[in-house]
Structure formats: structure tokens, C-alpha cells
């Protein structure tokens, strides 16, 4: 029986049921990267052969870390700072705050990409970009300047950005069940329907089979390239929304008997299913573009990221009969996928502040969301938004998120040695049984593989810098952001709790202090 | 589309989408076996929880 506090006041917010949680978790995992990153990564890393390292990465790192996040959040019942404080009996709170500050950084620029996508839904109707989508994006729409910090606001970015923030704060203020869960209940089915419509149209275009041919033809030599395997682990890791507090926070709202392990399988495979669908849709469209342009698919530029979404796709939409509807579906899907992920990242920050300062979801949404919106608007509705978000995104993900994952796995496994307890927690409720192999994956495979990704990423950023940006710029806004996140995490850690989270006893588990293999259903 | 590419496309669909279908069926079965606690949990004394 779980113990309760004498001075407990309000019950913790909860999902209305398993479906609400599953949809919200899928909504968090399925984001912009599924649509614009996976197809290009798969194509450049062996095509059909990439399927092998990709599935291996899903099963040996993606789903195991999902289970780790779920068990931490559900067992210790809180946002990341609360969870790591309880897990480590005080000393590890800073790791939780580091995950929260990572989320803070991401929401600042993630919102502006959603705002661009929402604008392009509208632009698709009259194909506003004309004959030159690249010139339109960089020149007319973003009015992009050189790397730096500009105070020149771009009104066409500012207006949708404010709109996105208003919608996000409003949903967040309604709380977990009435806000985040209901939004996902609407957004996720709508996203699936819209994206299915887009894929069906894409595969019926002339040249689509050439695109699919390029996408799925295996290059076996790629399997012997360690870089391809690292790309697979990176893709799985960065697309599942793991290790920066989201799944910890979301699972803390699950009821006590909730199925954690099988839910992790559903979310992991749903994320990959959407990526596969995106690969089929994107490469069918690229095949059409190649045919119209009279070049092979292999010679097409711009097959990933911002350039794929905001330059290549507008070109495709302009070439296509009835392209306006295709554009609305594509950019509408991007907007919805982004919104559901944004809500989950905001919830990480909101929940952490609610717990530390004893404020309500509405207060957290208005105060934290309000401040974040102002900073986001000040930094990313200007003419220097593009290089700034590109740099911050690179460093926050490759250094911050990867570092957080490695430290989390090492702390849980080797410092506090509570992995057997978390395995017992997973097995003490309905769902697939998690064996001792999970502890090996989380304790050995994940730190080694992600540690390699982290160290090689840091080394590259130190030696080569990032892209063609000047060193002063990447040092200031790349490494500077990482340093700021660490300092902020430290400051948040030393602030006093409104109510101490320490007098909490997690659920007792049968056989916890004996053979954990006996801890099962 | 070549036969090899077609085979890999079908393989990807079977493994990834099949994995999703199997895990959803398993989740439904587990849910039916265990039942969902519709009455909610006891208050667990978590700081800063709930809405006013």
C-alpha cells in the first residue's frame, strides 16, 4: 500500500484513462523530426538496409529508455526535479532541473517553427511563394539576416507566433485532463487522417515509385559503417522525446495500476510507424519532383529539415495539380505534430514549477508560459531567428539531451543502483514482463552508445564548429546556451520548496530486497 | 520500383506497423485482464498538485 502524507491537500492530476495517456505520449513523440528528419536520415544511411539498425536501436535503446522514464515518473510521482530528488534522496535534483531547463530552451524556438508551419498552411492556398520558394522563405517571409541578434521584428512571423503561444498557454492552463489530454484526443486523430490523405495523394503521383525505389533500395555496405548505426540510434533517441523530462512527467499522471511496459511498446512502435509513413509520403513526393525536374532522386537537394519542409515541398506543391490541398495537408500536419509535442514540453516546465512553488496549473501556465512567450517572441520573431534556432537546437539536442540521457542512465544504474527496483515497479502491474536484459540495456548499452554519440558530437562541435556559422556565434549561442542551462538548473535546485517532496514513500514491492526476478505479475 | 525495394518496403511495413498492431492488441488484452482503476488513486500528498 502506498503511504500518504498527513498534510496532503489536493489529489494529483491524472489522465482520464490509458487512452488519454497513450495519445498524449504518441503526440509528444510524433513531432516535426518524424516528418522532416527521418526520411532524409534513412535515405542517406543505407535506404532499406537502414531498417535493420533502426529496429535494433528502437528495441535496444528507444523502448528501454521509454520504460526507464515511465518507471521513474510513475514510481516517484512527479516532474523531473521531484523524481530525481526522491530517487537520489536529495542530491540529484539538479539533473531534474537540467531536464527542465532543456525543455525551456526547446520551447523558445520550437514554437516559431510551428508558427512558420501555420503560416504556410495559409500560403499554400494561393502558393504565395511563387516561382522561388527559397527566395520567398529567406527573403520575403523570414527577412533573414546574418547570424547575430537583431531587434528588428518580422510582423509576418510575430503574428502567428503570438497565436501559437496563446493557444498553447490556454490549453496548458486547463490542466492535464481537460487541457493536454483533450487537445491530443482531437489533434492526434486529425493528424493521422490528414497525413494519411497526404500520403495517399503522394503515392499516386507520377514518379512516386521512383522515389520509393530510392528510399527502400538497400545499400548493404552501409551496415558495416559504424556511422550508420550511430545515425540509427540518434534518430530513435531524438525522435522519441526521451530523457528530458517529458515521459517522466506524463507517466506521473497515470493511475497506480496503469500498464507501463506495454504502453511503452505502443508508443515506441507508433512513433516509428509514423516515421515510416512519413518516409513513404515524403519520398513519393520527391520522386514526383525529380520526374518533373528531369533529374534522378539522388541528385535532389534539400531532402531534410527546414529546407525540405519550406523549400522543397512548396516547389512540389507548385508543380502539382491541386497542390493547394496537398500543401494544406502537409503544413497542417506539421502544425499539429508540432503542437502536440510542444504541449508535452511545456507540461514538463509547468509541472516542475507547480511542484516546487506550490502553484496551480493555471498560475504556472500564465506565469511560466507568459515569460517564455515574451522571450521566444523577442528572440525568434526577428530577422536573426533562423541561424539562432538552428544553433540552439543543435547544441541543446546533441549536448544537452544526450548528456542528460547518459547521466540519467549512469545515476540510476551505477550511482543509486535502483534499476532493480524500477524493474520491479514495471513488473508489479499489468503488461509485458521486463526481464534482467532491460537492466543490461539501460545500464551498459545505453550509456556506451549514447556516450559515444555525446562525446563524438562534442568533439565535432569543438573541432569543426557548426555549419558555416562564425565561432563567436556558436560559442555564444551554442556553448553559451548549454552553460546557461546548467547554471539555471543549479539556481533552481538551491531555491526552497514550498512544500518538501521528501516525505514520500514509493509503493512497496514484493521481493524488492531479495531476488528481483520474483517481482512480477 | 524494383523487386528488392518492394520487398524492403513490405518488410518495413510488416515489422513496424505489425509491431504497432501487436502491441496495441497486447495492451487491450492486458487492460481487459487487469481492468482500469476508474475510481482514481488515493491522495498521494504530492506537492503542488491538482487544480483549484
Amino acid at each position: 500500500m502506498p503511504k500518504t502524507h498527513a498534510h496532503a491537500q489536493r489529489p494529483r492530476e491524472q489522465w482520464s484513462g490509458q487512452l488519454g495517456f497513450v495519445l498524449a505520449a504518441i503526440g509528444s513523440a510524433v513531432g516535426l523530426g518524424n516528418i522532416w528528419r527521418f526520411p532524409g536520415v534513412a535515405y542517406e544511411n543505407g535506404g532499406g538496409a537502414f531498417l535493420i539498425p533502426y529496429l535494433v536501436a528502437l528495441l535496444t535503446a528507444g523502448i528501454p529508455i521509454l520504460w526507464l522514464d515511465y518507471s521513474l515518473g510513475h514510481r516517484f510521482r512527479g516532474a523531473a526535479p521531484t523524481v530525481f530528488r526522491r530517487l537520489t534522496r536529495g542530491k540529484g535534483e539538479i539533473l531534474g532541473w537540467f531536464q527542465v531547463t532543456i525543455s525551456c530552451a526547446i520551447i523558445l524556438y520550437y514554437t516559431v517553427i510551428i508558427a512558420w508551419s501555420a503560416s504556410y498552411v495559409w500560403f499554400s492556398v494561393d502558393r504565395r511563394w511563387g516561382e522561388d520558394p527559397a527566395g520567398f522563405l529567406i527573403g520575403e517571409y523570414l527577412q533573414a539576416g546574418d547570424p547575430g541578434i537583431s531587434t528588428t521584428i518580422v510582423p509576418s512571423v510575430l503574428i502567428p507566433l503570438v497565436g501559437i503561444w496563446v493557444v498553447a498557454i490556454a490549453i496548458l492552463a486547463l490542466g492535464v485532463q481537460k487541457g493536454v489530454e483533450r487537445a491530443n484526443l482531437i489533434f492526434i486523430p486529425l493528424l493521422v487522417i490528414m497525413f494519411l490523405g497526404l500520403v495517399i495523394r503522394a503515392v499516386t503521383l507520377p514518379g512516386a515509385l521512383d522515389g520509393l525505389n530510392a528510399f527502400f533500395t538497400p545499400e548493404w555496405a552501409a551496415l558495416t559503417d559504424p556511422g550508420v548505426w550511430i545515425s540509427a540510434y540518434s534518430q530513435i533517441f531524438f525522435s522519441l522525446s526521451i530523457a528530458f523530462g517529458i515521459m517522466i512527467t506524463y507517466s506521473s499522471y497515470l493511475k497506480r495500476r496503469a500498464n507501463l511496459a506495454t504502453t511503452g511498446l505502443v508508443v515506441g512502435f507508433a512513433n516509428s510507424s509514423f516515421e515510416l509513413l512519413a518516409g513513404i509520403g515524403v519520398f513519393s513526393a520527391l520522386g514526383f519532383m525529380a520526374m518533373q525536374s528531369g533529374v534522378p532522386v539522388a541528385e535532389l537537394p534539400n531532402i531534410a529539415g527546414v529546407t525540405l519542409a519550406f523549400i522543397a515541398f512548396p516547389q512540389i506543391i507548385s508543380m502539382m495539380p491541386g497542390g493547394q490541398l496537398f500543401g494544406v495537408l502537409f503544413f497542417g500536419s506539421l502544425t499539429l505534430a508540432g503542437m502536440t509535442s510542444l504541449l508535452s514540453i511545456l507540461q514538463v516546465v509547468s509541472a516542475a514549477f507547480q511542484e516546487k512553488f506550490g502553484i496551480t496549473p493555471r498560475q504556472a501556465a500564465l506565469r511560466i508560459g507568459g515569460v517564455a512567450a515574451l522571450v521566444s517572441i523577442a528572440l525568434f520573431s526577428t530577422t536573426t531567428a533562423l541561424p539562432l534556432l538552428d544553433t540552439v537546437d543543435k547544441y541543446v539536442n546533441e549536448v544537452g539531451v544526450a548528456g542528460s540521457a547518459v547521466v540519467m542512465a549512469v545515476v540510476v544504474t551505477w550511482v543509486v543502483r535502483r534499476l532493480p527496483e524500477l524493474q520491479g515497479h514495471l513488473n508489479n502491474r499489468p503488461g509485458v514482463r521486463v526481464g534482467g536484459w532491460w537492466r543490461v540495456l539501460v545500464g551498459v548499452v545505453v550509456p556506451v552508445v549514447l556516450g559515444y554519440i555525446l562525446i563524438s558530437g562534442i568533439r565535432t562541435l569543438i573541432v569543426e564548429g557548426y555549419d558555416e556559422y562564425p565561432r563567436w556565434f556558436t560559442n555564444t549561442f551554442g556553448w553559451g546556451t548549454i552553460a546557461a542551462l546548467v547554471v539555471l538548473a543549479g539556481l533552481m535546485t538551491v531555491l526552497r520548496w514550498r512544500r518538501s517532496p521528501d516525505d514520500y514513500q514509493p509503493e512497496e514491492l514484493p521481493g524488492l530486497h531479495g531476488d528481483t526476478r520474483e517481482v512480477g505479475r | 520500383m524494383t523487386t528488392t525495394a518492394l520487398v524492403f518496403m513490405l518488410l518495413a511495413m510488416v515489422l513496424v506497423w505489425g509491431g504497432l498492431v501487436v502491441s496495441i492488441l497486447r495492451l487491450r488484452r492486458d487492460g481487459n485482464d487487469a481492468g482500469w482503476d476508474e475510481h482514481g488513486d488515493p491522495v498521494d500528498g504530492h506537492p503542488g498538485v491538482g487544480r483549484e
Side-chain angles (χ1 to χ4, degrees), chain A residues 19 24 31 61 116 192 199 201 226 241 260 308 357 394 439-440 462:
Chain A
L19 179 66
W116 297 349
V192 171
V199 172
R201 176 67 182 123
S241 298
L260 299 177
L308 170 75
F357 300 112
K394 178 78 174 176
R439 304 206 302 262
V440 175
I462 290 173

Side-chain angles (χ1 to χ4, degrees), chain A residues 54-309:
Chain A
Y54 178 77
L55 284 177
V56 169
L58 173 67
L59 297 174
T60 59
I63 289 171
I65 306 179
L66 264 182
W67 284 344
L68 177 63
D69 272 354
Y70 286 175
S71 57
L72 282 169
H74 194 249
R75 180 155 186 77
F76 296 101
R77 287 284 184 195
T82 304
V83 164
F84 285 106
R85 186 180 172 93
R86 288 173 171 169
L87 173 82
T88 60
R89 297 182 177 90
K91 299 187 183 86
E93 185 185 330
I94 190 170
L95 176 57
W97 281 112
F98 184 55
Q99 296 192 346
V100 174
T101 57
I102 287 172
S103 298
C104 285
I106 293 174
I107 55 177
L108 297 181
Y109 64 82
Y110 204 79
T111 38
V112 81
I113 305 174
I114 303 170
W116 297 349
S117 304
S119 295
Y120 268 69
V121 173
W122 181 246
F123 295 163
S124 296
V125 175
D126 59 359
R127 297 191 259 215
R128 187 79 54 91
W129 45 78
E131 298 297 316
D132 181 15
F136 174 81
L137 173 71
I138 304 297
E140 195 174 331
Y141 179 56
L142 298 181
Q143 300 171 28
D146 292 330
I149 287 288
S150 161
T151 53
T152 308
I153 298 285
V154 182
S156 53
V157 175
L158 173 71
I159 294 165
L161 182 57
V162 170
I164 295 296
W165 271 110
V166 169
V167 172
I169 290 173
I171 293 171
L172 201 65
L174 290 171
V176 170
Q177 202 175 111
K178 290 182 180 169
V180 176
E181 181 176 333
R182 280 190 188 170
N184 278 285
L185 214 56
I186 297 167
F187 289 169
I188 294 297
L190 192 59
L191 170 64
V192 171
I193 290 168
M194 287 175 68
F195 206 74
L196 271 175
L198 178 141
V199 172
I200 289 168
R201 176 67 182 123
V203 297
T204 56
L205 289 167
L209 291 182
D210 293 336
L212 293 175
N213 211 27
F215 185 56
F216 284 107
T217 299
E219 281 182 43
W220 294 113
L223 294 181
T224 59
D225 178 359
V228 169
W229 287 82
I230 293 301
S231 294
Y233 274 89
S234 297
Q235 176 61 31
I236 284 292
F237 176 69
F238 290 120
S239 77
L240 271 176
S241 298
I242 43 186
F244 60 103
I246 294 176
M247 295 302 174
I248 287 178
T249 307
Y250 268 14
S251 62
S252 74
Y253 300 121
L254 276 167
K255 294 178 183 178
R256 290 203 180 275
R257 289 295 298 157
N259 183 335
L260 299 177
T262 317
T263 303
L265 289 177
V266 171
V267 173
F269 276 104
N271 180 62
S272 294
S273 295
F274 197 88
E275 290 196 321
L276 179 59
L277 193 65
I280 292 170
V282 166
F283 268 83
S284 297
L286 290 175
F288 166 75
M289 185 184 182
M291 175 176 271
Q292 297 294 312
S293 309
V295 297
V297 175
E299 290 181 15
L300 287 177
N302 308 331
I303 59 164
V306 170
T307 51
L308 170 75

Side-chain angles (χ1 to χ4, degrees), chain B residues 17-33:
Chain B
W17 294 347
L20 176 63
V21 170
V22 169
S23 54
I24 289 173
L25 291 175
R26 177 66 196 254
L27 183 64
R28 285 174 61 90
R29 200 191 75 185
D30 291 343
N32 290 338
D33 287 349

Side-chain angles (χ1 to χ4, degrees), chain A residues 445-470:
Chain A
V445 175
V446 167
V448 168
V449 174
L450 292 185
Y452 177 83
I453 292 172
L454 173 68
I455 291 167
S456 59
I458 290 174
R459 186 178 170 279
T460 305
L461 290 173
I462 290 173
V463 174
E464 299 172 15
Y466 174 51
D467 208 358
E468 294 175 355
Y469 298 121

